[in-house]
Amino acid sequence: MRTRAAKTCHVARPVSQFSTAYSLGSNECVRLQFFSLLSESDNGNLILQGTQVKDVVIKPDAPYTLLLDKHADYIAAYGSKKDDYEYTLSEYLRMSGIYWGLTVMDLMGQLSRMNRQEIIEFTKSCQHDCGGISASIGHDPHLLYTLSAVQTLSLYDSINVIDVDKVVDYVKGLQQEDGSFAGDKWGEIDTRFSFCAVATLALLGQLDVINMDKAVEFVLSCMNFDGGFGCKPGSESHAGQIYCCTGFLSITGQLHQVNADLLGWWLCERQLPSGGLNGRPEKLPDVCYSWWVLASLKIIGRIHWIDKAKLRNFILACQDEETGGFADRPGDMVDPFHTLFGVAGLSLLGDEQIKPVNPVFCMPEDVLQRIGLQPDLLS
Amino acid sequence: MAESEEEVDVLVQRVVKDINNAFKRNPNIDEIGLIPCPEVRYNRSPIVLVENKLGVESWCVKFLLPYVHNRLLLYRQRKQWLDREALVDITCTLLLLNPDFTTAWNVRKELLQCGVLNPEKDLYLVKLALSKHPKSPETWIHRRWVLQWLQKECSPSGQELKDQAEPRGDAVGRRPCERLQRALQEEMRVCADAAGRYPSNYNAWSHRIWVLQNMAKGNLKVLHDELSSTRLWVSMHLSDHSGFHYRQHLLKALARELSQVGETELHPSKQPNGESTAGASDDNHHNDVIPQLFHEEMELCTDLIESFPGHETLWCHRRHVFYLWHQWRREHLQGAGSQSPPLTHTDVLLSEEPCDDSSTSQTMDVDCVLDGSKHGSYTQDTKRLKRGPLLPHPALPSEHTFVSRILTDCRSTEQNRFAIAYRKWLDSVIGFHDPYMQRPRHITLIFLAP
């Protein structure tokens, strides 16, 4: 077998960033030796190098039981110091942050601990004249935050505090001639926005205002040879985009257009030896992909194709026993985003301590039942 | 040490000024970064300029960010006026610290629209922001908006490469005009830098594809150049799935464009831009170039797979390249008509394949046809290329041979796993399924779930 003289690549730290290895410049050849090499990252994670499997190794003392109370405490206290620098940094997505926090609390049966009135008022004050809703007060409106707002108000059964007709007009106005959706008036196209559009309209019971055929045609044009979907036609398949597109096709009743076996295979190839799921080949596992991938598998009826026990193990290991909450992978810093997707993932895997979650909307099933939404799933 | 609000105000305004003065002093700043420095130092500027690198001492960021953030929002809510220069300075500072802040980019779009801001400035700011945040989706989105805006504003007919190409006889070698060429090169540079800063940078590579589709539509020279220039890069970034996907895109685009060129060479009157293509170099030029391209890519893939066992990305690349090749062969054996008449009974079988989705048993015939070993290792390729050099084109049997060779020689368990998965894919996907047919079949794959 031919081999090349390989320079040893030094260990990149922390686990989630390989920027050091990558910035060596074109003079150096970054090649991993193919002998087994275990090294330790800054946060104490063990990384497998050299065997070429990018993965984490779960330490023996990692959490293995579900610490639901700690997570509820974490979310309830999150953002109570509102002039925190970190809080300001993330204000551009606040509406989504609120949706993540509320949804995970509801899934844990702890929604009452959140400040309902304050949140409803906040959401209302984020609706602009054009009908679109922004991430926070004074920010510009966008489809992403319009969806999060509608999801939040649906959880609270208070959808009518905003002008629903204007929201519908806003969403309808973002559809392009080719059926795609822009994220806002500035025109960026992405299949994520197709999902946001139909999910929003479905929750408002007004799917019929858009050109459905064209919308479907565009999303299908983003289907790739591997059965997956990217952000635009011809883009690389990506688990997040796949979730959006399968969710879209579910809502629009077009799941039969998916090649479930082919896509299911691509999705279950995301599972790594640690049990965690990544979003694309040769990426590290991340708890949020445990949602995007798992929900997609559930939608296309292939959730039994992954090793559920190992995935559950991985998700539980991402908990922080001290602070509560979930991180992207074991040992990293927690945040509400990964906390939601960790808990939602466990729900999809059948944990009975958590309410059943809907794989298309990532909302409690009982909320959707109340609204009367039962999107198709393949079996 | 507690700071009064006025002290903070004064400090922050000074810092914002310092940052913007740094840019005025040195227009060649090409990288920004945070300098870990937790100790607060009021009497010294936290802005450090060394060669072309701009650093901000970390202690001031917790004052700086909320200040500029809130000032911008007050402006946005019409609660506090900011003149244009202040807006430019504040958004610049803000976006260098927090380039995901969409609203700040939107303010700059508006400034661009009313002529206050030079679009080149924003392209520069984006590039700088990407030096520290190479993935930031909002930054890439803003860049695309500026580029599109430039296209609309600067050229009434749009800056499509085909329109502005220098007139030349052969379609393959059409050169883009100089300004466009420079703009293209700059985009490729920005993408390459960002790709080098973060592994498998989806947003950087997607942007690169967008640039090809929107600024270099169908330009063969650009596609060829990109194929050559990324070859070394991917060889040094073997796990970079996005990088390899880019090459898959290039191959697909080249195959498509070259096929169209071939069509117009046959029918000169159909050339869309009115140029005559009489006197094209070879007959069936594309029929040789395309197989050559696929052959070279498969060779590259083989080389890398053998040298560096256990990289899933390389096997994914192989699947995709083989699939594209397989597709192209099927399309050009069936559709080309006079170009490549059926030379073997295998070709005839292929061209008679019903395109209707009838029973699954039809697919079995296709499989037999492609399995050259059943016909004494004749493949339609060796038969067809009577004129050109006999290149060993990838085909199902040769791929199976490759897999067997890997499994025999290999010491890596991961390599084995990927090789076996590739073989399963060959059997179940190439053999039985074509996702590009109008109604995909729900065929239960013949293997159990991995």
Side-chain angles (χ1 to χ4, degrees):
Chain A
M1 177 170 67
R2 278 182 294 155
T3 56
R4 299 239 174 92
K7 275 189 187 167
T8 311
C9 165
H10 66 279
V11 174
R13 290 182 295 251
V15 173
S16 53
Q17 286 173 34
F18 289 81
S19 51
T20 325
Y22 263 65
S23 301
L24 293 177
S26 55
N27 296 330
E28 304 227 26
C29 296
V30 181
R31 315 229 178 168
L32 298 173
Q33 288 185 300
F34 53 84
F35 301 109
S36 204
L37 243 154
L38 265 180
S39 35
E40 194 168 297
S41 68
D42 274 344
N43 60 8
N45 269 349
L46 294 176
I47 338 167
L48 273 174
Q49 297 256 310
T51 55
Q52 320 298 24
V53 177
K54 291 200 172 45
D55 199 2
V56 299
V57 175
I58 299 175
K59 286 150 88 170
D61 61 351
Y64 59 92
T65 55
L66 183 54
L67 310 161
L68 237 32
D69 289 336
K70 293 231 91 163
H71 304 317
D73 290 344
Y74 167 70
I75 298 289
Y78 188 82
S80 52
K81 287 183 295 178
K82 286 192 168 57
D83 50 0
D84 196 33
Y85 164 72
E86 294 287 338
Y87 202 72
T88 307
L89 259 185
S90 61
E91 195 179 274
Y92 75 91
L93 54 65
R94 185 67 62 235
M95 194 62 73
S96 295
I98 289 173
Y99 152 72
W100 300 328
L102 287 185
T103 303
V104 72
M105 289 300 262
D106 197 355
L107 287 175
M108 296 189 289
Q110 304 275 318
L111 187 60
S112 54
R113 288 171 70 175
M114 305 301 276
N115 194 328
R116 180 197 162 104
Q117 210 37 52
E118 187 183 327
I119 289 169
I120 290 179
E121 281 307 313
F122 172 80
T123 307
K124 192 170 162 181
S125 59
C126 287
Q127 183 167 31
H128 289 241
D129 290 338
C130 61
I133 299 174
S134 53
S136 183
I137 298 169
H139 292 233
D140 291 351
H142 196 285
L143 249 187
L144 292 169
Y145 309 113
T146 304
L147 172 61
S148 294
V150 167
Q151 286 171 306
T152 295
L153 293 174
S154 299
L155 284 179
Y156 277 141
D157 197 7
S158 301
I159 199 64
N160 291 307
V161 306
I162 52 170
D163 186 335
V164 168
D165 289 336
K166 289 203 112 180
V167 171
V168 171
D169 284 341
Y170 176 72
V171 174
K172 180 177 173 173
L174 290 171
Q175 185 166 30
Q176 310 295 302
E177 270 177 41
D178 64 357
S180 65
F181 282 85
D184 62 14
K185 71 181 195 185
W186 301 106
E188 174 76 5
I189 306 297
D190 190 316
T191 47
R192 285 185 293 156
F193 307 146
S194 299
F195 172 75
C196 290
V198 300
T200 302
L201 293 175
L203 286 168
L204 299 176
Q206 301 220 33
L207 263 179
D208 47 348
V209 306
I210 54 164
N211 185 336
M212 190 63 81
D213 289 341
K214 273 294 197 182
V216 170
E217 190 186 302
F218 176 76
V219 168
L220 291 178
S221 75
C222 299
M223 191 188 301
N224 297 318
F225 91 109
D226 51 19
F229 296 83
C231 57
K232 293 181 180 68
S235 296
E236 191 186 346
S237 292
H238 180 292
Q241 311 290 153
I242 288 171
Y243 165 78
C244 290
C245 293
T246 52
F248 171 97
L249 293 169
S250 161
I251 291 169
T252 56
Q254 299 289 315
L255 274 175
H256 56 275
Q257 310 255 26
V258 170
N259 189 326
D261 283 339
L262 193 60
L263 178 55
W265 188 12
W266 190 94
L267 288 168
C268 69
E269 282 186 324
R270 301 300 107 243
Q271 188 157 37
L272 295 166
S274 64
L277 304 177
N278 61 19
R280 283 177 294 148
E282 287 207 71
K283 297 280 275 182
L284 285 173
D286 183 327
V287 135
C288 72
Y289 287 111
S290 305
W291 172 260
W292 310 127
V293 173
L294 204 62
S296 302
L297 281 169
K298 179 76 181 178
I299 292 169
I300 63 171
R302 302 287 187 274
I303 199 170
H304 53 286
W305 281 15
I306 51 127
D307 186 329
K308 289 185 178 178
K310 287 190 92 181
L311 177 58
R312 180 183 164 83
N313 229 44
F314 174 84
I315 299 176
L316 292 174
C318 294
Q319 299 173 106
D320 187 317
E321 285 169 317
E322 284 171 30
T323 61
F326 289 72
D328 59 354
R329 52 191 74 95
D332 280 357
M333 286 240 331
V334 303
D335 60 50
F337 175 80
H338 290 96
T339 303
L340 167 62
F341 295 122
V343 170
L346 290 171
S347 169
L348 272 186
L349 290 175
D351 192 305
E352 286 178 354
Q353 295 175 272
I354 308 167
K355 278 197 202 174
V357 71
N358 180 277
V360 172
F361 290 91
C362 193
M363 291 165 67
E365 283 286 11
D366 57 14
V367 172
L368 292 175
Q369 262 159 43
R370 191 216 323 128
I371 298 178
L373 265 183
Q374 220 53 90
D376 297 337
L377 305 179
L378 290 180
S379 49
Chain B
M1 175 165 52
E3 322 74 33
S4 73
E5 221 177 278
E6 287 114 22
E7 280 176 332
V8 171
D9 261 17
V10 164
L11 164 75
V12 169
Q13 282 179 58
R14 239 184 44 221
V15 174
V16 171
K17 266 238 136 34
D18 286 349
I19 290 176
N20 289 283
N21 285 338
F23 283 115
K24 286 186 186 131
R25 269 204 329 267
N26 184 349
N28 295 318
I29 293 174
D30 62 10
E31 202 179 308
I32 50 156
L34 268 188
I35 301 170
C37 177
E39 196 187 298
V40 176
R41 290 190 280 196
Y42 286 100
N43 52 354
R44 252 183 50 164
S45 174
I47 305 307
V48 177
L49 185 56
V50 175
E51 294 176 353
N52 291 331
K53 319 295 176 193
L54 180 66
V56 179
E57 288 179 352
S58 59
W59 65 264
C60 80
V61 170
K62 69 174 187 283
F63 301 117
L64 186 57
L65 179 75
Y67 177 86
V68 288
H69 177 98
N70 292 327
R71 286 206 77 195
L72 187 69
L73 287 178
L74 286 172
Y75 161 78
R76 210 57 170 157
Q77 295 169 84
R78 300 176 201 274
K79 289 180 179 168
Q80 203 179 83
W81 175 249
L82 280 174
D83 66 41
R84 284 166 172 184
E85 199 183 309
L87 264 180
V88 170
D89 288 351
I90 280 183
T91 50
C92 175
T93 303
L94 198 33
L95 289 165
L96 288 175
L97 293 173
N98 191 9
D100 290 325
F101 188 6
T102 321
T103 301
W105 286 120
N106 292 345
V107 167
R108 291 185 78 95
K109 289 180 181 75
E110 289 167 6
L111 290 170
L112 254 157
Q113 282 179 325
C114 57
V116 168
L117 206 48
N118 179 348
E120 303 295 330
K121 269 231 156 75
D122 257 35
L123 291 177
Y124 173 65
L125 181 60
V126 164
K127 191 170 168 181
L128 217 47
L130 290 172
S131 72
K132 190 163 158 279
H133 301 95
K135 284 199 299 175
S136 169
E138 292 305 317
T139 307
W140 290 106
I141 288 172
H142 183 75
R143 191 174 186 88
R144 283 191 279 280
W145 185 88
V146 175
L147 290 169
Q148 274 186 320
W149 192 83
L150 270 172
Q151 277 185 340
K152 280 186 291 197
E153 294 299 308
C154 300
S155 165
S157 61
Q159 288 194 339
E160 288 197 26
L161 215 53
K162 268 184 173 163
D163 294 346
Q164 298 199 7
E166 289 171 15
R168 258 179 75 162
D170 68 294
V172 177
R174 193 165 291 156
R175 294 168 64 82
C177 71
E178 187 149 336
R179 191 175 69 177
L180 205 41
Q181 179 75 324
R182 270 188 279 121
L184 263 179
Q185 277 171 8
E186 173 68 355
E187 287 315 297
M188 298 320 183
R189 220 175 354 249
V190 170
C191 291
D193 285 347
R197 290 197 156 95
Y198 190 86
S200 222
N201 190 334
Y202 189 89
N203 295 335
W205 290 101
S206 297
H207 182 80
R208 202 162 176 163
I209 291 178
W210 181 91
V211 168
L212 289 180
Q213 291 170 331
N214 290 274
M215 290 169 66
K217 285 195 177 87
N219 186 288
L220 286 168
K221 182 175 191 307
V222 171
L223 294 173
H224 275 296
D225 286 348
E226 281 290 279
L227 204 57
S228 343
S229 70
T230 53
R231 191 187 165 97
L232 179 62
W233 197 93
V234 300
S235 307
M236 297 201 300
H237 297 81
L238 301 171
S239 306
D240 204 303
H241 194 263
S242 300
F244 279 94
H245 173 268
Y246 184 68
R247 290 184 72 79
Q248 293 152 24
H249 172 84
L250 290 172
L251 284 171
K252 194 157 131 189
L254 274 165
R256 187 177 52 232
E257 293 302 323
L258 284 168
S259 302
Q260 280 174 18
V261 165
E263 285 291 303
T264 55
E265 278 169 359
L266 276 183
H267 311 283
S269 57
K270 284 189 183 171
Q271 179 73 322
N273 65 1
E275 274 189 32
S276 149
T277 52
S281 28
D282 329 31
D283 269 355
N284 300 327
H285 173 69
H286 71 288
N287 259 349
D288 296 333
V289 173
I290 294 174
Q292 175 74 19
L293 284 173
F294 279 110
H295 172 77
E296 283 172 4
E297 196 67 17
M298 290 296 273
E299 277 233 314
L300 171 66
C301 197
T302 300
D303 192 29
L304 294 173
I305 284 177
E306 286 176 342
S307 307
F308 304 102
H311 274 288
E312 191 184 359
T313 298
L314 298 175
W315 289 96
C316 291
H317 189 59
R318 196 176 191 88
R319 286 186 196 183
H320 205 157
V321 175
F322 185 73
Y323 180 85
L324 287 170
W325 166 241
H326 172 72
Q327 273 300 102
W328 185 85
R329 262 189 340 180
R330 290 182 63 153
E331 280 164 22
H332 287 80
L333 284 170
Q334 290 178 284
S338 56
Q339 284 254 47
S340 34
L343 294 166
T344 67
H345 62 291
T346 60
D347 295 315
V348 171
L349 268 173
L350 266 184
S351 62
E352 283 176 358
E353 190 203 6
C355 39
D356 198 17
D357 182 12
S358 43
S359 71
T360 55
S361 61
Q362 288 294 349
T363 56
M364 299 300 283
D365 295 328
V366 175
D367 192 46
C368 286
V369 158
L370 290 174
D371 186 0
S373 61
K374 295 195 177 170
H375 302 279
S377 79
Y378 261 114
T379 67
Q380 62 267 31
D381 308 302
T382 50
K383 270 284 194 175
R384 184 165 53 80
L385 292 175
K386 268 183 176 176
R387 275 167 295 216
L390 270 178
L391 285 171
H393 292 295
L396 270 183
S398 57
E399 285 307 285
H400 277 288
T401 308
F402 171 72
V403 171
S404 306
R405 193 170 81 235
I406 294 290
L407 288 172
T408 320
D409 292 347
C410 180
R411 296 176 272 161
S412 150
T413 29
E414 292 311 315
Q415 182 86 319
N416 275 17
R417 188 160 68 84
F418 297 136
I420 291 169
Y422 181 64
R423 189 165 60 191
K424 274 184 188 161
W425 181 83
L426 287 171
D427 290 338
S428 37
V429 177
I430 299 292
F432 292 106
H433 173 78
D434 183 350
Y436 286 118
M437 287 187 69
Q438 280 203 312
R439 289 203 260 120
R441 302 160 196 178
H442 293 289
I443 297 164
T444 309
L445 296 184
I446 56 171
F447 60 97
L448 293 172

